[in-house]
Every structure is written in C-alpha cells, then in structure tokens.
Amino acid sequence: MSLWMHFSSQNACSPLMEHLIFFHDYSMMLIIIIISLIFYTILFILTNLNYNHFLIENQMIELIWTISPMLILIFLALPSLKILYLSDETFLSFFTVKITGHQWFWTYEFSDFFNIEFDSFMMNKLLKMNSFRLLDVDSHFIIPMNLNIRLLINSSDVIHSWTIPSMGIKIDAIPGRLNQISLITKRPGLFFGQCSEICGINHSFMPIVLESTKMNLFFNWLYKFI
C-alpha cells in the first residue's frame, strides 16, 4: 500500500505489475537520454561560434534524425505490446469471481463454489490496533496465490472502478456491461485498493482489500459459507 511521502509505484505483487514497472523504468531511461542529448545539442550550439557559410544541406544528418525517432518508437512499442498481451486473458483460469459495485460497497460472488456471495463494506470503526483508517473492510476478498483467477466486474447503479495498484489492475465497473480481467498473485498478504471512479458522495469510502493466501486456507475460508 502507499505510505506517506511515497511517490513511486507500489511493490509489484503480480506478473503484470512487474512488467508495468519495468516498462516505466525503461521508458524513463529513454526519455532521460533524449532530453540529455537535446540539452547537450542546445548548449553546443549556443557556445559554438564557428559556422559554415557554404553548408546548404546534409543528407546524412537528415537521415539520422528521421530514422532515430522511428527506432525509439519501435523500442517503446515492443514491450508495450507484450504488456498488452499479458493483460488480456491468455491463460486458463482456475475459477471465476464476479464483482459488483454498489453505492457504496462491493459484492463478491463465487459462482463456482456453491454460489457463495457476500458484501464488503468499509469499517466505520477501527476494531483492531493494526487496522488502517478508511482502507479496512469487514469482509476480505480472499483468493489462492499463484493461480490465475478470472474477474468479471460490473455495476448495479453508476460507474465504479475496481482498482488495486500493487496488482496493476484498474478496471471499470459499468452498469449493464461485464468487464473481464485476469489476476495472479505471487505472494501471500493483504493488498489494498479503492474505487478510482467518482461515483457519488461516498466515493472515497468504498475500499478494496484483497487477501492472497495458500490453497488450504482458501478452502477453509470457503467452508465457512457452506
């Protein structure tokens, strides 16, 4: 989760987020190199008093500054297309979870396991010393780690957005439409998110808590609903 004075991305907890952070660092490296070359060229032009009266054209320079941006865009497009491919549903999912946004809470439905369904509300009072204000919920969304889970997201009223930054997931919940995304968690723990689409007066009071755990603990949690 984000902490005070934390300006960079959260630690990656999914393969998709790892590739997104890599692509961000890779893009920033290319941008810094380009800006450095531009400033160097400007400084060289301003400090160089020599010039050529007979220079009319230079085909080689024009060829270089035409081909160089094309190559840079290709180097940016290749990892971007890889991330786009990974963000799509390319792997067989273990099970499906339907997530419905309401004003102002979330509903989770495990239709593959005896039609288990529950609501997740923000906790109005801090019941424990280690609780997080405005981020903890009464019912966690629990999934097993290292398995591909398919998420179906929709809304019952207005547009919401189911977002967990550490997973690299931000998908809109739109009334009358099902949006789909895959989710894989690489380690156990609690991962926090919030609705990222302004949906009303209590928009900032519908947090998301994803709990990643081992398979046996996940089935023990499911048995509580039976």
Side-chain angles (χ1 to χ4, degrees):
M1 61 180 294
S2 295
L3 302 175
W4 182 253
M5 298 298 291
H6 186 194
F7 297 104
S8 59
S9 301
Q10 297 183 18
N11 294 331
C13 301
S14 67
L16 176 60
M17 188 60 184
E18 288 180 352
H19 283 82
L20 287 173
I21 293 177
F22 168 78
F23 181 67
H24 170 267
D25 297 339
Y26 176 73
S27 302
M28 292 302 298
M29 179 188 68
L30 289 180
I31 291 172
I32 291 173
I33 292 174
I34 293 171
I35 293 176
S36 301
L37 289 176
I38 291 174
F39 275 104
Y40 173 78
T41 304
I42 293 175
L43 184 62
F44 179 79
I45 293 174
L46 293 177
T47 57
N48 186 18
L49 301 179
N50 300 320
Y51 56 90
N52 191 344
H53 290 281
F54 304 101
L55 180 62
I56 299 177
E57 63 179 13
N58 192 323
Q59 297 292 339
M60 181 58 66
I61 294 178
E62 293 183 0
L63 185 64
I64 291 174
W65 71 41
T66 301
I67 295 179
S68 297
M70 296 172 56
L71 295 176
I72 293 173
L73 291 177
I74 291 175
F75 290 146
L76 285 174
L78 292 179
S80 178
L81 292 174
K82 182 179 180 180
I83 295 175
L84 184 63
Y85 176 77
L86 288 175
S87 63
D88 197 3
E89 188 179 6
T90 56
F91 307 101
L92 182 64
S93 58
F94 181 69
F95 63 88
T96 301
V97 180
K98 183 180 178 182
I99 304 173
T100 305
H102 306 271
Q103 290 181 317
W104 288 270
F105 62 96
W106 297 97
T107 298
Y108 300 94
E109 180 181 347
F110 291 77
S111 57
D112 295 340
F113 300 98
F114 309 105
N115 291 325
I116 296 173
E117 182 177 350
F118 61 92
D119 299 329
S120 180
F121 291 87
M122 186 189 73
M123 295 174 58
N124 295 324
K125 297 181 180 180
L126 297 181
L127 303 179
K128 300 179 181 179
M129 292 297 295
N130 57 353
S131 299
F132 295 100
R133 180 176 178 270
L134 302 182
L135 282 178
D136 266 320
V137 296
D138 56 357
S139 299
H140 293 177
F141 171 40
I142 302 178
I143 60 173
M145 57 183 291
N146 294 327
L147 288 177
N148 185 43
I149 312 299
R150 182 174 62 175
L151 304 180
L152 300 177
I153 293 95
N154 73 336
S155 173
S156 64
D157 35 52
V158 298
I159 299 178
H160 303 276
S161 184
W162 199 82
T163 305
I164 299 182
S166 59
M167 297 292 173
I169 289 180
K170 181 182 183 296
I171 183 166
D172 290 338
I174 303 174
R177 176 176 176 178
L178 279 178
N179 286 332
Q180 180 175 300
I181 196 169
S182 296
L183 171 64
I184 303 175
T185 58
K186 297 190 63 176
R187 59 184 176 88
L190 294 177
F191 308 101
F192 297 88
Q194 290 177 303
C195 177
S196 299
E197 186 73 29
I198 298 177
C199 55
I201 57 175
N202 289 333
H203 155 68
S204 57
F205 302 109
M206 48 183 306
I208 303 163
V209 179
L210 170 66
E211 183 175 346
S212 175
T213 184
K214 297 180 180 179
M215 179 64 73
N216 57 338
L217 298 178
F218 170 72
F219 281 115
N220 290 337
W221 172 74
L222 286 179
Y223 290 148
K224 296 179 181 179
F225 295 91
I226 301 176

mmCIF file of all heavy atoms in Angstrom, residues 154-190:
data_model
loop_
_atom_site.group_PDB
_atom_site.id
_atom_site.type_symbol
_atom_site.label_atom_id
_atom_site.label_comp_id
_atom_site.label_asym_id
_atom_site.label_seq_id
_atom_site.Cartn_x
_atom_site.Cartn_y
_atom_site.Cartn_z
ATOM 1 N N ASN A 154 -18.882 -5.647 -12.879
ATOM 2 C CA ASN A 154 -19.977 -4.813 -13.380
ATOM 3 C C ASN A 154 -20.488 -3.940 -12.244
ATOM 4 O O ASN A 154 -19.954 -3.955 -11.138
ATOM 5 C CB ASN A 154 -21.093 -5.665 -13.992
ATOM 6 C CG ASN A 154 -21.899 -6.382 -12.941
ATOM 7 O OD1 ASN A 154 -21.429 -6.620 -11.831
ATOM 8 N ND2 ASN A 154 -23.114 -6.755 -13.286
ATOM 9 N N SER A 155 -21.532 -3.175 -12.516
ATOM 10 C CA SER A 155 -22.085 -2.255 -11.523
ATOM 11 C C SER A 155 -23.599 -2.350 -11.543
ATOM 12 O O SER A 155 -24.206 -2.683 -12.575
ATOM 13 C CB SER A 155 -21.639 -0.818 -11.812
ATOM 14 O OG SER A 155 -22.290 0.100 -10.957
ATOM 15 N N SER A 156 -24.198 -2.039 -10.401
ATOM 16 C CA SER A 156 -25.657 -2.084 -10.288
ATOM 17 C C SER A 156 -26.285 -0.699 -10.374
ATOM 18 O O SER A 156 -27.512 -0.596 -10.464
ATOM 19 C CB SER A 156 -26.059 -2.736 -8.965
ATOM 20 O OG SER A 156 -25.612 -1.959 -7.870
ATOM 21 N N ASP A 157 -25.482 0.358 -10.352
ATOM 22 C CA ASP A 157 -26.066 1.707 -10.355
ATOM 23 C C ASP A 157 -25.281 2.664 -11.251
ATOM 24 O O ASP A 157 -25.711 2.973 -12.350
ATOM 25 C CB ASP A 157 -26.163 2.260 -8.917
ATOM 26 C CG ASP A 157 -25.009 1.822 -8.041
ATOM 27 O OD1 ASP A 157 -23.858 1.998 -8.457
ATOM 28 O OD2 ASP A 157 -25.271 1.309 -6.932
ATOM 29 N N VAL A 158 -24.115 3.129 -10.779
ATOM 30 C CA VAL A 158 -23.315 4.077 -11.546
ATOM 31 C C VAL A 158 -21.966 3.445 -11.870
ATOM 32 O O VAL A 158 -21.694 2.308 -11.496
ATOM 33 C CB VAL A 158 -23.120 5.403 -10.761
ATOM 34 C CG1 VAL A 158 -24.452 6.070 -10.496
ATOM 35 C CG2 VAL A 158 -22.376 5.154 -9.458
ATOM 36 N N ILE A 159 -21.117 4.184 -12.553
ATOM 37 C CA ILE A 159 -19.805 3.670 -12.931
ATOM 38 C C ILE A 159 -18.870 3.707 -11.724
ATOM 39 O O ILE A 159 -18.689 4.749 -11.095
ATOM 40 C CB ILE A 159 -19.201 4.473 -14.097
ATOM 41 C CG1 ILE A 159 -20.102 4.365 -15.336
ATOM 42 C CG2 ILE A 159 -17.802 3.961 -14.436
ATOM 43 C CD1 ILE A 159 -19.596 5.180 -16.504
ATOM 44 N N HIS A 160 -18.298 2.562 -11.407
ATOM 45 C CA HIS A 160 -17.256 2.457 -10.396
ATOM 46 C C HIS A 160 -15.967 1.977 -11.077
ATOM 47 O O HIS A 160 -15.949 1.739 -12.290
ATOM 48 C CB HIS A 160 -17.660 1.469 -9.297
ATOM 49 C CG HIS A 160 -18.947 1.814 -8.612
ATOM 50 N ND1 HIS A 160 -19.018 2.714 -7.562
ATOM 51 C CD2 HIS A 160 -20.217 1.385 -8.815
ATOM 52 C CE1 HIS A 160 -20.266 2.811 -7.145
ATOM 53 N NE2 HIS A 160 -21.018 2.021 -7.895
ATOM 54 N N SER A 161 -14.904 1.828 -10.286
ATOM 55 C CA SER A 161 -13.642 1.325 -10.830
ATOM 56 C C SER A 161 -12.947 0.488 -9.766
ATOM 57 O O SER A 161 -12.582 1.008 -8.709
ATOM 58 C CB SER A 161 -12.738 2.477 -11.283
ATOM 59 O OG SER A 161 -11.562 1.972 -11.887
ATOM 60 N N TRP A 162 -12.781 -0.806 -10.055
ATOM 61 C CA TRP A 162 -12.144 -1.733 -9.117
ATOM 62 C C TRP A 162 -10.641 -1.690 -9.353
ATOM 63 O O TRP A 162 -10.156 -2.080 -10.413
ATOM 64 C CB TRP A 162 -12.693 -3.140 -9.344
ATOM 65 C CG TRP A 162 -12.491 -4.072 -8.201
ATOM 66 C CD1 TRP A 162 -13.242 -4.176 -7.078
ATOM 67 C CD2 TRP A 162 -11.457 -5.052 -8.085
ATOM 68 N NE1 TRP A 162 -12.746 -5.164 -6.264
ATOM 69 C CE2 TRP A 162 -11.658 -5.713 -6.855
ATOM 70 C CE3 TRP A 162 -10.383 -5.429 -8.889
ATOM 71 C CZ2 TRP A 162 -10.819 -6.733 -6.418
ATOM 72 C CZ3 TRP A 162 -9.549 -6.444 -8.458
ATOM 73 C CH2 TRP A 162 -9.771 -7.080 -7.240
ATOM 74 N N THR A 163 -9.914 -1.183 -8.360
ATOM 75 C CA THR A 163 -8.504 -0.866 -8.557
ATOM 76 C C THR A 163 -7.668 -1.382 -7.397
ATOM 77 O O THR A 163 -7.993 -1.143 -6.236
ATOM 78 C CB THR A 163 -8.305 0.656 -8.677
ATOM 79 O OG1 THR A 163 -9.138 1.153 -9.723
ATOM 80 C CG2 THR A 163 -6.853 0.989 -8.988
ATOM 81 N N ILE A 164 -6.588 -2.086 -7.720
ATOM 82 C CA ILE A 164 -5.559 -2.473 -6.750
ATOM 83 C C ILE A 164 -4.204 -2.125 -7.378
ATOM 84 O O ILE A 164 -3.725 -2.828 -8.273
ATOM 85 C CB ILE A 164 -5.629 -3.965 -6.394
ATOM 86 C CG1 ILE A 164 -6.982 -4.298 -5.769
ATOM 87 C CG2 ILE A 164 -4.500 -4.331 -5.433
ATOM 88 C CD1 ILE A 164 -7.117 -5.738 -5.337
ATOM 89 N N PRO A 165 -3.563 -1.043 -6.944
ATOM 90 C CA PRO A 165 -2.317 -0.588 -7.596
ATOM 91 C C PRO A 165 -1.189 -1.610 -7.570
ATOM 92 O O PRO A 165 -0.454 -1.741 -8.556
ATOM 93 C CB PRO A 165 -1.958 0.673 -6.800
ATOM 94 C CG PRO A 165 -3.248 1.143 -6.208
ATOM 95 C CD PRO A 165 -4.023 -0.102 -5.917
ATOM 96 N N SER A 166 -1.008 -2.332 -6.477
ATOM 97 C CA SER A 166 0.104 -3.273 -6.390
ATOM 98 C C SER A 166 -0.065 -4.461 -7.332
ATOM 99 O O SER A 166 0.908 -5.169 -7.613
ATOM 100 C CB SER A 166 0.261 -3.776 -4.950
ATOM 101 O OG SER A 166 -0.920 -4.415 -4.513
ATOM 102 N N MET A 167 -1.280 -4.684 -7.822
ATOM 103 C CA MET A 167 -1.542 -5.748 -8.798
ATOM 104 C C MET A 167 -1.548 -5.238 -10.232
ATOM 105 O O MET A 167 -1.665 -6.024 -11.172
ATOM 106 C CB MET A 167 -2.892 -6.423 -8.494
ATOM 107 C CG MET A 167 -2.957 -7.111 -7.156
ATOM 108 S SD MET A 167 -1.882 -8.543 -7.098
ATOM 109 C CE MET A 167 -2.023 -8.988 -5.367
ATOM 110 N N GLY A 168 -1.475 -3.931 -10.397
ATOM 111 C CA GLY A 168 -1.531 -3.364 -11.744
ATOM 112 C C GLY A 168 -2.899 -3.493 -12.377
ATOM 113 O O GLY A 168 -3.007 -3.592 -13.601
ATOM 114 N N ILE A 169 -3.948 -3.480 -11.551
ATOM 115 C CA ILE A 169 -5.315 -3.672 -12.045
ATOM 116 C C ILE A 169 -6.131 -2.410 -11.801
ATOM 117 O O ILE A 169 -6.159 -1.882 -10.689
ATOM 118 C CB ILE A 169 -5.982 -4.874 -11.357
ATOM 119 C CG1 ILE A 169 -5.359 -6.174 -11.842
ATOM 120 C CG2 ILE A 169 -7.485 -4.895 -11.621
ATOM 121 C CD1 ILE A 169 -5.964 -7.408 -11.225
ATOM 122 N N LYS A 170 -6.771 -1.939 -12.823
ATOM 123 C CA LYS A 170 -7.745 -0.844 -12.738
ATOM 124 C C LYS A 170 -8.770 -1.084 -13.840
ATOM 125 O O LYS A 170 -8.482 -0.856 -15.020
ATOM 126 C CB LYS A 170 -7.095 0.529 -12.897
ATOM 127 C CG LYS A 170 -8.081 1.693 -12.779
ATOM 128 C CD LYS A 170 -7.384 3.016 -12.991
ATOM 129 C CE LYS A 170 -8.362 4.176 -12.794
ATOM 130 N NZ LYS A 170 -9.449 4.144 -13.808
ATOM 131 N N ILE A 171 -9.944 -1.533 -13.478
ATOM 132 C CA ILE A 171 -10.958 -1.894 -14.468
ATOM 133 C C ILE A 171 -12.296 -1.289 -14.043
ATOM 134 O O ILE A 171 -12.673 -1.341 -12.870
ATOM 135 C CB ILE A 171 -11.045 -3.428 -14.621
ATOM 136 C CG1 ILE A 171 -12.039 -3.807 -15.707
ATOM 137 C CG2 ILE A 171 -11.332 -4.107 -13.306
ATOM 138 C CD1 ILE A 171 -11.942 -5.248 -16.136
ATOM 139 N N ASP A 172 -12.977 -0.700 -14.993
ATOM 140 C CA ASP A 172 -14.230 0.000 -14.709
ATOM 141 C C ASP A 172 -15.373 -0.984 -14.512
ATOM 142 O O ASP A 172 -15.461 -2.012 -15.182
ATOM 143 C CB ASP A 172 -14.583 0.962 -15.847
ATOM 144 C CG ASP A 172 -13.648 2.158 -15.907
ATOM 145 O OD1 ASP A 172 -13.030 2.462 -14.869
ATOM 146 O OD2 ASP A 172 -13.534 2.779 -16.970
ATOM 147 N N ALA A 173 -16.242 -0.649 -13.562
ATOM 148 C CA ALA A 173 -17.489 -1.386 -13.343
ATOM 149 C C ALA A 173 -18.624 -0.545 -13.923
ATOM 150 O O ALA A 173 -18.982 0.492 -13.369
ATOM 151 C CB ALA A 173 -17.701 -1.640 -11.850
ATOM 152 N N ILE A 174 -19.178 -0.982 -15.049
ATOM 153 C CA ILE A 174 -20.149 -0.206 -15.814
ATOM 154 C C ILE A 174 -21.505 -0.907 -15.755
ATOM 155 O O ILE A 174 -21.579 -2.130 -15.965
ATOM 156 C CB ILE A 174 -19.683 -0.043 -17.274
ATOM 157 C CG1 ILE A 174 -18.306 0.622 -17.311
ATOM 158 C CG2 ILE A 174 -20.690 0.774 -18.083
ATOM 159 C CD1 ILE A 174 -17.699 0.700 -18.690
ATOM 160 N N PRO A 175 -22.581 -0.176 -15.479
ATOM 161 C CA PRO A 175 -23.914 -0.813 -15.439
ATOM 162 C C PRO A 175 -24.285 -1.428 -16.791
ATOM 163 O O PRO A 175 -24.081 -0.814 -17.844
ATOM 164 C CB PRO A 175 -24.849 0.346 -15.078
ATOM 165 C CG PRO A 175 -23.968 1.377 -14.454
ATOM 166 C CD PRO A 175 -22.622 1.242 -15.104
ATOM 167 N N GLY A 176 -24.801 -2.652 -16.750
ATOM 168 C CA GLY A 176 -25.225 -3.329 -17.974
ATOM 169 C C GLY A 176 -24.111 -3.905 -18.810
ATOM 170 O O GLY A 176 -24.351 -4.331 -19.947
ATOM 171 N N ARG A 177 -22.885 -3.931 -18.264
ATOM 172 C CA ARG A 177 -21.761 -4.444 -19.048
ATOM 173 C C ARG A 177 -20.824 -5.226 -18.132
ATOM 174 O O ARG A 177 -20.579 -4.833 -16.995
ATOM 175 C CB ARG A 177 -21.003 -3.296 -19.711
ATOM 176 C CG ARG A 177 -19.756 -3.720 -20.463
ATOM 177 C CD ARG A 177 -19.114 -2.554 -21.166
ATOM 178 N NE ARG A 177 -17.870 -2.937 -21.812
ATOM 179 C CZ ARG A 177 -17.107 -2.114 -22.529
ATOM 180 N NH1 ARG A 177 -17.478 -0.846 -22.679
ATOM 181 N NH2 ARG A 177 -15.993 -2.535 -23.084
ATOM 182 N N LEU A 178 -20.282 -6.331 -18.636
ATOM 183 C CA LEU A 178 -19.313 -7.133 -17.902
ATOM 184 C C LEU A 178 -17.920 -6.885 -18.462
ATOM 185 O O LEU A 178 -17.676 -7.112 -19.654
ATOM 186 C CB LEU A 178 -19.648 -8.623 -18.000
ATOM 187 C CG LEU A 178 -20.724 -9.190 -17.068
ATOM 188 C CD1 LEU A 178 -20.928 -10.664 -17.364
ATOM 189 C CD2 LEU A 178 -20.327 -8.992 -15.612
ATOM 190 N N ASN A 179 -17.015 -6.401 -17.614
ATOM 191 C CA ASN A 179 -15.614 -6.281 -17.975
ATOM 192 C C ASN A 179 -14.838 -7.429 -17.350
ATOM 193 O O ASN A 179 -15.145 -7.869 -16.235
ATOM 194 C CB ASN A 179 -15.040 -4.940 -17.515
ATOM 195 C CG ASN A 179 -15.525 -3.792 -18.376
ATOM 196 O OD1 ASN A 179 -15.829 -3.973 -19.555
ATOM 197 N ND2 ASN A 179 -15.615 -2.610 -17.801
ATOM 198 N N GLN A 180 -13.845 -7.889 -18.061
ATOM 199 C CA GLN A 180 -13.138 -9.107 -17.657
ATOM 200 C C GLN A 180 -11.650 -8.853 -17.589
ATOM 201 O O GLN A 180 -11.069 -8.136 -18.416
ATOM 202 C CB GLN A 180 -13.432 -10.210 -18.678
ATOM 203 C CG GLN A 180 -12.758 -11.535 -18.389
ATOM 204 C CD GLN A 180 -13.184 -12.601 -19.370
ATOM 205 O OE1 GLN A 180 -14.363 -12.941 -19.471
ATOM 206 N NE2 GLN A 180 -12.241 -13.139 -20.102
ATOM 207 N N ILE A 181 -11.008 -9.436 -16.571
ATOM 208 C CA ILE A 181 -9.555 -9.320 -16.425
ATOM 209 C C ILE A 181 -9.064 -10.527 -15.639
ATOM 210 O O ILE A 181 -9.820 -11.143 -14.875
ATOM 211 C CB ILE A 181 -9.170 -7.994 -15.713
ATOM 212 C CG1 ILE A 181 -7.688 -7.705 -15.912
ATOM 213 C CG2 ILE A 181 -9.528 -8.040 -14.247
ATOM 214 C CD1 ILE A 181 -7.278 -6.314 -15.481
ATOM 215 N N SER A 182 -7.799 -10.878 -15.821
ATOM 216 C CA SER A 182 -7.178 -11.980 -15.092
ATOM 217 C C SER A 182 -6.304 -11.436 -13.976
ATOM 218 O O SER A 182 -5.716 -10.370 -14.084
ATOM 219 C CB SER A 182 -6.340 -12.854 -16.036
ATOM 220 O OG SER A 182 -7.159 -13.475 -17.007
ATOM 221 N N LEU A 183 -6.197 -12.225 -12.907
ATOM 222 C CA LEU A 183 -5.445 -11.809 -11.733
ATOM 223 C C LEU A 183 -4.624 -12.981 -11.220
ATOM 224 O O LEU A 183 -5.145 -14.081 -11.025
ATOM 225 C CB LEU A 183 -6.395 -11.300 -10.634
ATOM 226 C CG LEU A 183 -5.799 -11.015 -9.261
ATOM 227 C CD1 LEU A 183 -4.780 -9.882 -9.350
ATOM 228 C CD2 LEU A 183 -6.895 -10.669 -8.271
ATOM 229 N N ILE A 184 -3.329 -12.735 -11.004
ATOM 230 C CA ILE A 184 -2.429 -13.714 -10.411
ATOM 231 C C ILE A 184 -1.642 -13.027 -9.308
ATOM 232 O O ILE A 184 -1.002 -12.002 -9.550
ATOM 233 C CB ILE A 184 -1.458 -14.321 -11.445
ATOM 234 C CG1 ILE A 184 -2.219 -14.961 -12.606
ATOM 235 C CG2 ILE A 184 -0.543 -15.353 -10.791
ATOM 236 C CD1 ILE A 184 -1.315 -15.470 -13.710
ATOM 237 N N THR A 185 -1.681 -13.562 -8.106
ATOM 238 C CA THR A 185 -0.890 -13.021 -7.002
ATOM 239 C C THR A 185 0.320 -13.922 -6.775
ATOM 240 O O THR A 185 0.209 -15.144 -6.799
ATOM 241 C CB THR A 185 -1.731 -12.951 -5.715
ATOM 242 O OG1 THR A 185 -2.212 -14.258 -5.397
ATOM 243 C CG2 THR A 185 -2.920 -12.023 -5.907
ATOM 244 N N LYS A 186 1.471 -13.296 -6.538
ATOM 245 C CA LYS A 186 2.709 -14.049 -6.432
ATOM 246 C C LYS A 186 3.116 -14.334 -4.993
ATOM 247 O O LYS A 186 4.019 -15.135 -4.763
ATOM 248 C CB LYS A 186 3.842 -13.280 -7.131
ATOM 249 C CG LYS A 186 3.636 -13.088 -8.612
ATOM 250 C CD LYS A 186 4.879 -12.560 -9.273
ATOM 251 C CE LYS A 186 6.031 -13.544 -9.171
ATOM 252 N NZ LYS A 186 7.221 -13.090 -9.900
ATOM 253 N N ARG A 187 2.508 -13.670 -4.032
ATOM 254 C CA ARG A 187 2.888 -13.888 -2.639
ATOM 255 C C ARG A 187 1.676 -13.648 -1.740
ATOM 256 O O ARG A 187 0.740 -12.949 -2.124
ATOM 257 C CB ARG A 187 4.046 -12.966 -2.235
ATOM 258 C CG ARG A 187 3.759 -11.481 -2.375
ATOM 259 C CD ARG A 187 4.990 -10.677 -2.041
ATOM 260 N NE ARG A 187 4.813 -9.262 -2.235
ATOM 261 C CZ ARG A 187 4.332 -8.434 -1.319
ATOM 262 N NH1 ARG A 187 3.963 -8.914 -0.135
ATOM 263 N NH2 ARG A 187 4.213 -7.147 -1.557
ATOM 264 N N PRO A 188 1.668 -14.221 -0.558
ATOM 265 C CA PRO A 188 0.539 -14.008 0.348
ATOM 266 C C PRO A 188 0.596 -12.630 0.985
ATOM 267 O O PRO A 188 1.647 -11.986 1.051
ATOM 268 C CB PRO A 188 0.720 -15.115 1.399
ATOM 269 C CG PRO A 188 2.191 -15.375 1.401
ATOM 270 C CD PRO A 188 2.651 -15.161 -0.011
ATOM 271 N N GLY A 189 -0.555 -12.162 1.448
ATOM 272 C CA GLY A 189 -0.615 -10.870 2.118
ATOM 273 C C GLY A 189 -1.922 -10.160 1.855
ATOM 274 O O GLY A 189 -2.829 -10.680 1.189
ATOM 275 N N LEU A 190 -2.012 -8.941 2.388
ATOM 276 C CA LEU A 190 -3.169 -8.075 2.189
ATOM 277 C C LEU A 190 -2.789 -6.965 1.220
ATOM 278 O O LEU A 190 -1.746 -6.318 1.380
ATOM 279 C CB LEU A 190 -3.631 -7.472 3.519
ATOM 280 C CG LEU A 190 -4.198 -8.433 4.567
ATOM 281 C CD1 LEU A 190 -4.540 -7.675 5.836
ATOM 282 C CD2 LEU A 190 -5.417 -9.153 4.040
#
